[in-house]
Amino acid sequence: MKYFILLSFFVLNLLASTFQINDNFSEDSLKKNMLYLIEEDSKKITPQEIIQSNQLAQVNKTNLGLIFDKQIWTISTLKNNTKETKTIYFYNPRPAIDFIDAYIFKNNTLIQSHFLGDSREIENREVFSRFSTFKITLQSDEELTLVSKISNPHGRIDIEWIVMSEDRFYKFITKDLILWGIIFSGILFVLIYQWFFYNALKNSYFIQYAIFSATIFIYLLFYNGFGYLIFGSSSL
């Protein structure tokens, strides 16, 4: 068994290189460093079995489309090549995925687990974000393995992880909130504007425009994950 695990790690390193975190690291994607496996209906796979699996394939694209009845497993290895402790943030770029599990291994031992996705309670998230997000801390020269399981019975699946430094992540989140705040404010302004003109002119066209604006507002609110942040998983 020991030799099988060592062989599995050797094969893993051949197929996907280790993601290197250097002194000037800011942001990158794990796509080039990921392997994946589509779980068959008849099998129930554990994270440990993914580490040992010889059926993993290189990731060519992260947007896998509509896969309603299967779970997608991914695995990648990261190493902190600096002399400092680094806190790294991971987020999946597609909001509104139902279930995302992330397991962190060190020397084949599970040290962290995160259960994300919009079908889980928002209170259980370590990082408050419209994206499925978690963070890990790597000591100098430390190497960790990330295994993730993703399923989305109600929409498209994206298996990508974007990796960011702590400073870069909070700048990104701040800009994202400002941008969407401007967009939602603009739609609300148009909605109020149309309602005002309807009351003034009694023209039904303004009601139609208002309904159209409200529909766009609600769609963007939930499609982009803000509905989950505001109302929680019970609203989806």
Side-chain angles (χ1 to χ4, degrees):
M1 184 65 180
K2 175 181 177 181
Y3 295 106
F4 178 74
I5 294 175
L6 291 174
L7 179 61
S8 299
F9 274 110
F10 177 73
V11 172
L12 174 63
N13 289 327
L14 284 179
L15 291 174
S17 59
T18 300
F19 184 87
Q20 307 289 338
I21 300 170
N22 300 313
D23 288 319
N24 59 350
F25 172 74
S26 177
E27 176 184 356
D28 206 345
S29 168
L30 278 183
K31 177 182 177 181
K32 302 185 298 294
N33 310 90
M34 289 173 57
L35 302 174
Y36 81 106
L37 174 69
I38 300 178
E39 182 175 309
E40 298 296 331
D41 295 335
S42 59
K43 297 181 180 179
K44 294 298 179 183
I45 304 176
T46 66
Q48 289 81 0
E49 289 174 329
I50 291 296
I51 293 177
Q52 300 169 13
S53 175
N54 60 0
Q55 299 179 335
L56 299 163
Q58 185 73 48
V59 173
N60 295 317
K61 63 176 182 178
T62 57
N63 188 341
L64 301 183
L66 300 174
I67 306 179
F68 297 125
D69 57 347
K70 297 183 185 297
Q71 300 182 120
I72 314 299
W73 290 88
T74 71
I75 184 170
S76 52
T77 304
L78 308 93
K79 184 176 182 181
N80 179 10
N81 285 328
T82 72
K83 299 301 180 183
E84 301 176 349
T85 300
K86 294 284 187 180
T87 298
I88 305 298
Y89 284 73
F90 299 75
Y91 79 90
N92 184 287
R94 180 176 290 276
I97 290 181
D98 286 347
F99 301 100
I100 302 181
D101 301 346
Y103 306 92
I104 313 300
F105 289 85
K106 180 178 180 180
N107 298 328
N108 205 35
T109 300
L110 181 65
I111 61 172
Q112 286 185 42
S113 56
H114 303 273
F115 301 102
L116 309 168
D118 286 9
S119 290
R120 267 73 179 261
E121 294 298 327
I122 185 67
E123 294 81 6
N124 296 331
R125 286 199 179 183
E126 180 184 22
V127 180
F128 189 77
S129 167
R130 69 186 182 95
F131 301 99
S132 290
T133 306
F134 68 94
K135 63 181 179 179
I136 62 174
T137 299
L138 293 95
Q139 305 299 321
S140 176
D141 293 323
E142 186 176 27
E143 184 171 298
L144 299 176
T145 299
L146 166 63
V147 176
S148 61
K149 180 176 67 173
I150 303 174
S151 63
N152 194 26
H154 302 106
R156 304 177 71 86
I157 285 185
D158 194 320
I159 61 173
E160 185 173 16
W161 287 109
I162 304 297
V163 189
M164 290 183 173
S165 65
E166 188 169 31
D167 180 65
R168 177 72 183 91
F169 175 76
Y170 282 108
K171 287 180 180 178
F172 162 73
I173 288 297
T174 301
K175 290 179 180 179
D176 181 71
L177 289 175
I178 291 173
L179 173 62
W180 282 105
I182 293 172
I183 293 173
F184 284 126
S185 297
I187 297 175
L188 281 175
F189 173 80
V190 172
L191 181 60
I192 295 171
Y193 173 86
Q194 291 162 346
W195 182 255
F196 172 80
F197 271 90
Y198 168 74
N199 286 328
L201 303 176
K202 301 302 179 182
N203 189 322
S204 62
Y205 283 114
F206 289 107
I207 283 290
Q208 296 175 25
Y209 296 147
I211 293 174
F212 178 71
S213 299
T215 302
I216 292 177
F217 183 89
I218 294 171
Y219 171 78
L220 291 176
L221 188 71
F222 286 94
Y223 181 79
N224 288 290
F226 290 104
Y228 173 69
L229 285 184
I230 298 170
F231 303 108
S233 61
S234 60
S235 66
L236 304 178

